Amino acid sequence: MKRILLTVGSIVLLSGCGIGENSDQSEKKNETVQEENQNSTEKQQNQTEQNHKPQEEKKGEANEDKLTLEAAYFNKIAEVDGKKVIQNPENILVLVNKEYGLPDGYAPADLVRPNVAFSFGDQDIEKSYMRKEAAMALEKMFTEAANHNLQLYAVSGYRSYERQVEVFNNEVQNVGREQAVQVVAVPGNSEHQTGLSMDISSASANSALSEQFGETPEGKWLVENAHKFGFILRYPKGKEAITGYQYESWHFRYVGVESASGIYENGLTLEEYFHVVEKI
Ligand SMILES: [Zn+2]
């Protein structure tokens, strides 16, 4: 039997945004990672599916899957002007958050427009793009949803550094900097700049990006099935202190099937995932 306990306390500090640093999460600081039985790193998809339980039931429980990940998938960070800047931004598992940012002006080289339904129709605009691998996975996911009579809409994918500057400055003008940083990512710190994220909604939610989407059949199906296509719900409810963001029922991030499954089966966030995987 393998046991992995989460070092949640140290993750809370990662967000560095002031949200939740006084929350009860920090009391878990002294929990340590324990590994027993170093064999059997392999997981079987159907076995892990059977093991899945709702997140509420898993809190405090030891996980049974041993998660491993090649060191190349970890962020490589350099300190630039006091900011932590990611040096391997094309890493498919790149961890972008309020602490770790992308290089100024970084744009992925392989952006394509996935062949899916968009909330804004056929317009060929920046936010319809994703990196190729993510776009192909998104197409498969939307097709499978349609097979279940669920009509998903892609709403917002890639966002350039320059566009994020505009969005952020607009928000600062409207509500001031202090409030703006709570809801809009600082340029360089938006996951949308990776080309690996897509905001998704549905006709039943009027294509809105709101918590209500999470209550629709489409939103519920995505939460339970996105990992099969390599996507995770990036900002889950109850993990705000760890991700640094409010619950976003619509924001899905591509990380590949293996990592998405490990994250889903163990009720983790991407931040927590990097604390429990073992480098190989
Ligand atoms: Zn988003």
Side-chain angles (χ1 to χ4, degrees):
M1 187 62 67
K2 298 139 289 179
R3 307 182 68 217
I4 301 174
L5 299 178
L6 310 186
T7 53
V8 177
S10 58
I11 296 161
V12 172
L13 299 175
L14 270 186
S15 71
C17 59
I19 298 175
E21 285 185 6
N22 298 320
S23 78
D24 59 3
Q25 300 277 11
S26 57
E27 289 169 15
K28 296 179 184 168
K29 206 176 204 165
N30 295 326
E31 289 182 0
T32 53
V33 177
Q34 273 196 339
E35 292 280 343
E36 294 167 6
N37 184 356
Q38 317 225 314
N39 302 321
S40 68
T41 58
E42 290 180 11
K43 292 179 297 175
Q44 290 181 357
Q45 179 81 8
N46 53 8
Q47 185 188 340
T48 49
E49 276 174 20
Q50 285 165 10
N51 288 343
H52 174 69
K53 296 175 194 166
Q55 288 183 6
E56 289 75 21
E57 291 174 40
K58 279 194 242 164
K59 279 180 186 163
E61 284 183 19
N63 296 309
E64 300 204 352
D65 296 319
K66 182 179 174 187
L67 301 170
T68 58
L69 194 61
E70 287 181 32
Y73 287 115
F74 284 73
N75 272 2
K76 293 179 176 54
I77 302 296
E79 195 102 357
V80 180
D81 297 332
K83 289 191 219 164
K84 290 175 181 164
V85 179
I86 298 160
Q87 302 299 297
N88 55 338
E90 302 219 337
N91 169 17
I92 214 84
L93 286 182
V94 63
L95 177 63
V96 177
N97 56 24
K98 290 184 175 175
E99 177 166 26
Y100 303 120
L102 295 162
D104 288 3
Y106 164 71
D110 57 350
L111 292 169
V112 298
R113 190 179 199 275
N115 184 19
V116 298
F118 285 90
S119 59
F120 46 82
D122 292 336
Q123 295 176 73
D124 190 9
I125 46 182
E126 180 182 279
K127 65 183 180 182
S128 54
Y129 281 68
M130 292 189 92
R131 287 184 62 187
K132 191 167 185 192
E133 183 177 335
M136 288 167 59
L138 192 81
E139 289 175 357
K140 283 186 193 157
M141 186 163 75
F142 275 45
T143 299
E144 185 62 16
N147 290 341
H148 291 82
N149 292 321
L150 300 169
Q151 174 68 64
L152 300 174
Y153 287 118
V155 179
S156 188
Y158 173 64
R159 194 183 298 155
S160 66
Y161 180 84
E162 294 73 21
R163 175 75 187 128
Q164 189 69 23
V165 170
E166 287 175 22
V167 170
F168 184 74
N169 288 344
N170 281 343
E171 192 70 11
V172 169
Q173 283 197 334
N174 289 336
V175 300
R177 189 180 171 90
E178 200 177 323
Q179 297 244 327
V181 296
Q182 298 298 323
V183 286
V184 176
V186 173
N189 292 71
S190 169
E191 202 182 59
H192 284 277
Q193 195 189 332
T194 66
L196 296 168
S197 301
M198 182 60 80
D199 295 331
I200 301 172
S201 190
S202 62
S204 61
N206 295 319
S207 297
L209 303 181
S210 66
E211 273 199 44
Q212 187 222 334
F213 173 63
E215 302 302 318
T216 65
E218 291 81 4
K220 288 178 178 170
W221 183 87
L222 272 182
V223 166
E224 295 300 324
N225 293 281
H227 66 282
K228 298 172 189 168
F229 306 90
F231 287 89
I232 57 167
L233 180 71
R234 181 67 178 85
Y235 307 115
K237 197 180 275 184
K239 300 278 191 171
E240 295 85 351
I242 296 165
T243 64
Y245 283 94
Q246 297 301 304
Y247 167 52
E248 292 192 358
S249 64
W250 58 89
H251 182 113
F252 287 82
R253 158 70 193 275
Y254 182 77
V255 292
V257 172
E258 187 181 352
S259 292
S261 298
I263 287 168
Y264 170 77
E265 303 295 345
N266 294 287
L268 303 172
T269 60
L270 192 55
E271 279 81 5
E272 292 167 303
Y273 183 59
F274 282 106
H275 281 68
V276 299
V277 290
E278 190 172 282
K279 282 189 192 181
I280 55 172

